[in-house]
Amino acid sequence: MPAPVSSPSEFAFELALCARLEQTTDWLPARQLGASVASPGSRIIDVCAVVPGPEFDERARITDSEIPATAIESDVGAGSAVFWRDGFDCHPARARRATDRAVEVGFFESERRRSREYVRRAARYPHDWFSRLVGIENKPDLGSPGDLLRQLRLDVSLAVFDEVILSTESYVTGAHLNRIPGEVGVWRFDPDTGDREVVREPQPLSPGSTGVEPTEYHSLHTDVALVSPAEKRTARLRLAERAYGKGWRAYDLPACAHARADADGRPACAHFDRVVDPGSECGADCSAFEAADPPELDRDGLRESRTGWVADPAGAVRRQSGLDRYF
C-alpha cells in the first residue's frame, strides 16, 4: 500500500517546489501568473518556469524588473527619439503606462522638447533570452482535484506554454494518468525531502500554432476563442517578463514574534515549526500570534545567488531597494 499523503497546504507545497527547482535547475520559477489570453485572469498558473536561452545574459544586463510587452513590441527604436504616443499602436492610456514603466526600468530613455516627451530605446531587446516556458500546476492531494482537469485541458488546447506539468505528493495511479491529458507530464514531489520523481514526461505543445481557449462553460456546450500565433507570442513575452520581474518570493512575512524566514526565504513559524501561509494562517486569529516587526528577508540576494537573475544591473535605472517591485 502506498504511504498516506501528508496533504500540506498548496502554498507550502508550491514554495517547496520553487525552492527545489531554483536549487537543481537553471530555470527561473515564478508563482501565480495569468496564463490565459482571450479571457485575461481566468487562468492562473501555479508556477511558470522560464528556461534561459542563448541571450539570457543580455536580458539580465538591462533591468531586474519586468519590461512591459507593449513597450517591447512598440515602434520605439534605438535611433532617433520619437514622440512617445507615435511609437504605439494602441490606446493612449495603455501607451502612457507602458512608456512610464519602460522609462522607470531603464528600457526607454526620455527627453523633453518644447514640453513634449520623446523616447528611444536604451538597449536592444534580446528576444532569444528564454528558450521555453514550462507551466506547472500543483495539486498535492489528487483526492481533491477541484477544477484540475479543466485547467489542464485549457493549458494543452491553448498551448501558451512549451510544456505543462502536474506536480503532486499523491501516489499516482494508472486511473489518474488516464484522466489527465496525455500531453501533461506528471511529477511526484515530496516537499519535505525535495525528492522529485518523474512519473510521466511532458509532451511538447505547439506555441507557434493557433490555440483554442475555452472562455465559458455551459451545461451542454463550451464557448471557445481561437487565439492566433501572434497573440500567443505576445502572451508568452508577457509571461516571461512577469516571471523574470516577480520571481516566487512575492509575499509578506508575518508580523509576528514567531515568524522567521528559512534558508530558502520561505515564511516559517518557530512555534509550529513549519512553513506557513501568511495570508491565511497568520494574524490575530492564530492562538500563538505575538505582534512584532516581520523578519528581514533579502529576496534579491537569495535570487541572485541561486539563479542567473541579476539585481540592479549596471544597465538599469538605479533606485532604492524595496518591496514595491514584487507587487
Side-chain angles (χ1 to χ4, degrees), residues 62-63 65-68 100-107 315-317 319:
I62 299 174
T63 175
S65 301
E66 171 192 350
I67 302 173
D100 290 344
R101 184 58 178 163
V103 171
E104 180 184 356
V105 302
F107 185 59
V317 174
R319 58 194 182 282

Side-chain angles (χ1 to χ4, degrees), residues 27 35 43 45-49 132-138 148-167 180-187 200-207 236 239:
W27 298 2
R43 173 65 173 119
I45 193 74
D46 286 336
V47 177
C48 171
R132 289 184 296 135
L133 297 180
V134 180
I136 304 173
E137 187 65 18
N138 297 313
L148 175 64
L149 297 183
R150 179 182 291 182
Q151 292 168 334
L152 294 177
R153 291 187 186 113
L154 184 153
D155 295 336
V156 169
S157 64
L158 179 57
V160 164
F161 297 102
D162 295 273
E163 298 172 359
V164 173
I165 294 166
L166 167 65
S167 181
I180 297 166
E183 297 89 344
V184 176
V186 179
W187 291 346
R200 184 171 73 189
E201 292 283 1
Q203 298 301 306
L205 302 180
S206 301
R236 285 168 56 80
L239 259 173

